[in-house]
Amino acid sequence: MADRIEISFLETFICSAFAACFAELFTVPLDTAKVRLQLQKKIPTGDGDSLPKYRGFFGTLSIIAREEGISGLWKGVIAGLHRQCIYGGLRIGLYEPVKTFLVGSDFIGDIPLYQKILAALLTGAIAIIVANPTDLVKVRLQSEGKLPAGVPRRYAGAVDAYYTIVKLEGVGALWTGLGPNIARNAIVNAAELASYDQIKEIIMKIPGFGDSFLTHMLAGLAAGFFAVCIGSPIDVVKSRMMGDSTYRNTIDCFIKTMKTEGIMAFYKGFLPNFTRLGTWNVVMFLTLEQVKKVFLREVLYD
């Protein structure tokens, strides 16, 4: 029997992309509800009050399903899979190599938390620079609600969206919102991967636990919670900039949102966001750990 060795970057990329895509398929309706709540602006009623169309997580899901059909909950799923295949594969696949590079290949012992955070910040930023066009298209498709009769949709689908954006707005438009997207994804990636890594490491030292299903589930839930608490304000700005071209830049979007809606606007969709990210992280990390074992078994028993 051969000694256990680390799986290659390509194998890790494949495992990460598969796990991320599987989790995306499972949680797209939650993400659609989150985007609709984040993009929702106050609607004047004429008497000085505002009446939002979407109210609450389950109310949003219900309205979308009623007005647009069940398929409306999976809007942007193709672009979402494009995104996870590239972004998920890179951010997770690069994490271990970058972490090893930062501490040195001859390092022995538990890697410090700050090194894990730095590694995740770097891989999150690198991955989203490559994957930003897929994120833009996903948000654009998800942001379209029920349209009035006779009004055509902007895009027929994900591929048409890429083509139309490039044709009408130029290639550079595919990287709209890159600034807040880098900030958001680097920070959320650090919150997810570093917290998962750290919490898993702590739980595995508790008697009765170990590298088990329960450990992966608990660490995944914690990773989702930290990611939402830290990343929600940036996520709202990112979604608004990608879904609404009226904002000049990140600062303009932040200031206008703060002035017109207050600080709580940055935590719009918090419940669906946590429900989605908590579920997403549990599904993704559980899938990732199992798929990686398949490759590790091949190494062990060749």
Side-chain angles (χ1 to χ4, degrees), residues 47-259:
D47 56 1
D49 295 324
S50 296
L51 185 63
K53 177 179 180 180
Y54 302 112
R55 294 189 178 188
F57 177 38
F58 293 108
T60 302
L61 289 172
S62 176
I63 290 173
I64 295 171
R66 185 172 65 249
E67 292 186 349
E68 304 166 46
I70 296 297
S71 62
L73 295 170
W74 269 268
K75 277 186 177 177
V77 65
I78 300 302
L81 293 176
H82 293 168
R83 178 185 186 272
Q84 292 303 338
C85 189
I86 299 171
Y87 175 67
L90 285 175
R91 76 180 180 103
I92 302 167
L94 287 170
Y95 177 66
E96 289 296 334
V98 170
K99 191 170 64 172
T100 301
F101 173 78
L102 291 174
V103 299
S105 57
D106 56 347
F107 181 86
I108 299 174
D110 295 338
I111 295 176
L113 177 59
Y114 78 90
Q115 295 280 31
K116 296 174 183 177
I117 293 173
L118 180 58
L121 284 170
L122 290 172
T123 61
I126 293 169
I128 200 59
I129 289 172
V130 178
N132 197 81
T134 63
D135 210 14
L136 174 76
V137 169
K138 178 186 174 186
V139 171
R140 292 269 183 105
L141 291 172
Q142 286 180 320
S143 64
E144 284 195 332
K146 184 181 180 182
L147 299 174
V151 177
R153 294 197 174 279
R154 286 191 295 175
Y155 314 112
V159 175
D160 179 61
Y162 291 118
Y163 173 77
T164 303
I165 291 169
V166 170
K167 182 180 178 181
L168 299 180
E169 304 174 48
V171 175
L174 291 172
W175 277 267
T176 298
L178 181 61
N181 220 9
I182 289 176
R184 184 259 180 192
N185 284 279
I187 292 170
V188 170
N189 194 51
E192 286 181 357
L193 294 189
S195 65
Y196 178 83
D197 197 359
Q198 187 72 17
I199 293 169
K200 177 185 170 184
E201 186 179 286
I202 292 171
I203 294 175
M204 285 176 62
K205 294 177 180 178
I206 300 174
F209 284 87
D211 197 8
S212 64
F213 179 94
L214 180 58
T215 298
H216 303 155
M217 185 179 71
L218 292 174
L221 274 173
F225 178 75
F226 283 119
V228 176
C229 288
I230 295 170
S232 274
I234 303 171
D235 195 37
V236 170
V237 172
K238 181 214 74 168
S239 292
R240 292 199 169 190
M241 284 193 67
M242 288 184 166
D244 189 341
S245 59
T246 59
Y247 299 112
R248 295 194 303 272
N249 51 49
T250 305
I251 302 300
D252 180 55
C253 180
F254 183 87
I255 292 174
K256 284 181 178 177
T257 302
M258 174 71 82
K259 285 177 65 177

